Amino acid sequence: MKIYKPLFSLVLILIQLILSVVRYFDLQNWRKENPELDALISLNITYTTLFIFVLIIGIYEIMTKPSWFKTAIRIFLVCIILGTTFSNFIPIEDFYFGVYNTAWFSAVVAFVLILVRIGKYGIEKWNN
């Protein structure tokens, strides 16, 4: 299996990791400031799974040969990161969760395609 130009995806994965860590520390500060509300409110924490989704899509992008499809995946990764980061400024109700669910579906598809590539590679090595 070959790896094709991984720098762009690695940068995007690191950016999403940094954003996820920042959101984690913001949540911890909020919990320290509002302990009485923390017990009452059930928070929907999505920054950890969003990082995993970006990681899976980024790994698939690294495994893809340079073509228009690789460019489309890169644009899609940037749209996921920017869409979730700046979703508060977009006047569409639940825009964040729309981008999140799209990333979720894309990560599942990318994971299946990664498994298919690994399976094809394993079968080729086994036959040789």
Side-chain angles (χ1 to χ4, degrees):
M1 259 186 306
K2 292 184 179 181
I3 294 177
Y4 302 96
K5 299 182 182 179
L7 185 62
F8 187 81
S9 287
L10 292 177
V11 168
L12 288 179
I13 290 168
L14 285 175
I15 289 171
Q16 183 59 45
L17 177 65
I18 291 168
L19 290 172
S20 295
V21 169
V22 167
R23 287 184 187 143
Y24 171 78
F25 284 119
D26 287 344
L27 178 64
Q28 296 307 316
N29 288 336
W30 181 84
R31 284 183 172 168
K32 285 180 185 177
E33 293 171 0
N34 304 308
E36 65 282 350
L37 291 177
D38 187 35
L40 296 174
I41 297 174
S42 176
L43 296 174
N44 187 4
I45 299 171
T46 58
Y47 53 82
T48 54
T49 53
L50 187 65
F51 169 71
I52 294 170
F53 299 156
V54 169
L55 178 68
I56 291 171
I57 297 169
I59 289 172
Y60 180 70
E61 190 270 335
I62 290 171
M63 295 171 60
T64 305
K65 292 180 182 178
S67 66
W68 67 269
F69 187 63
K70 184 176 185 92
T71 305
I73 295 172
R74 287 179 173 183
I75 292 170
F76 185 66
L77 277 171
V78 170
C79 288
I80 289 172
I81 293 173
L82 291 177
T84 55
T85 303
F86 298 113
S87 63
N88 294 334
F89 301 115
I90 299 173
I92 299 174
E93 187 175 339
D94 293 334
F95 182 79
Y96 177 86
F97 291 106
V99 175
Y100 178 83
N101 290 335
T102 304
W104 176 88
F105 178 75
S106 302
V108 170
V109 170
F111 185 71
V112 169
L113 292 173
I114 289 171
L115 290 178
V116 167
R117 284 195 181 187
I118 290 172
K120 284 172 79 175
Y121 180 75
I123 290 171
E124 287 175 3
K125 285 293 183 182
W126 191 18
N127 288 338
N128 291 338

